[in-house]
Amino acid sequence: MDKKYSEARQYVGMVQASMSTHPGWEGRGQPLHRESSEAEARKNRDVVCDSTFKAHASTPAPAQCDEWPFAKSKESGRQFGVKSGVDCQQYYVTSSTINGKVYLSLGWPGSNQGKMPPATAKCARASMPKAQNEGVGGDLGRFTTEQRLLEKDPYWVNAGQPLP
């Protein structure tokens, strides 16, 4: 993942580390596998980012629902039996202004109390700034074309955390 999408990288890295299956994290989990069907990807997205998703009030607008694993992967929550995004880990990007400078950070319910998201969740979703979400999605599309990834081909996602 490109460093210019720092909040999306932080989100994916956090999910890869906190989910017991460590999806897409080389050396810890299993690779993701390409989902080439647009119809299946749409179904995946429609489940994880269903009507229960509400953009966090402090996520810079426009905010979008960002799902992990990617909707265009065989490891999407829907493909593992998730019926609604409420069953996924929940995250949000927040914006704070300090001395006139805007800072973004990643949070989740319970983060202020030192609580971690449920490790047994099969997916995650985040309230993410549109530019971050669509930038990573665009990079994924270019990556699949450049690498000629076909249906079910495996791949890893480097979100910047060190290999074990």
Side-chain angles (χ1 to χ4, degrees), residues 133-151:
N133 188 32
E134 291 184 359
V136 170
D139 282 357
L140 175 64
R142 286 182 288 281
F143 172 79
T144 59
T145 300
E146 290 165 4
Q147 299 300 314
R148 298 181 182 214
L149 289 181
L150 302 175
E151 177 74 4

Side-chain angles (χ1 to χ4, degrees), residues 43-79:
K43 289 178 193 175
N44 291 342
R45 192 173 294 108
D46 287 348
V47 167
V48 175
C49 293
D50 62 4
S51 64
T52 64
F53 173 78
K54 303 291 182 249
H56 195 273
S58 66
T59 300
Q64 294 180 334
C65 178
D66 188 0
E67 72 280 353
W68 183 262
F70 296 125
K72 288 194 168 189
S73 75
K74 296 290 186 185
E75 290 71 26
S76 171
R78 181 186 76 86
Q79 294 195 19

Side-chain angles (χ1 to χ4, degrees), residues 55-109:
H56 195 273
S58 66
T59 300
Q64 294 180 334
C65 178
D66 188 0
E67 72 280 353
W68 183 262
F70 296 125
K72 288 194 168 189
S73 75
K74 296 290 186 185
E75 290 71 26
S76 171
R78 181 186 76 86
Q79 294 195 19
F80 283 109
V82 171
K83 302 290 185 212
S84 171
V86 297
D87 297 324
C88 300
Q89 291 183 347
Q90 308 293 316
Y91 294 88
Y92 49 87
V93 172
T94 62
S95 174
S96 303
T97 303
I98 302 170
N99 295 330
K101 184 161 171 55
V102 176
Y103 296 90
L104 299 178
S105 60
L106 184 69
W108 57 89

Side-chain angles (χ1 to χ4, degrees), residues 20-31:
S20 60
T21 57
H22 311 295
W25 187 6
E26 188 173 11
R28 285 276 172 99
Q30 297 297 313

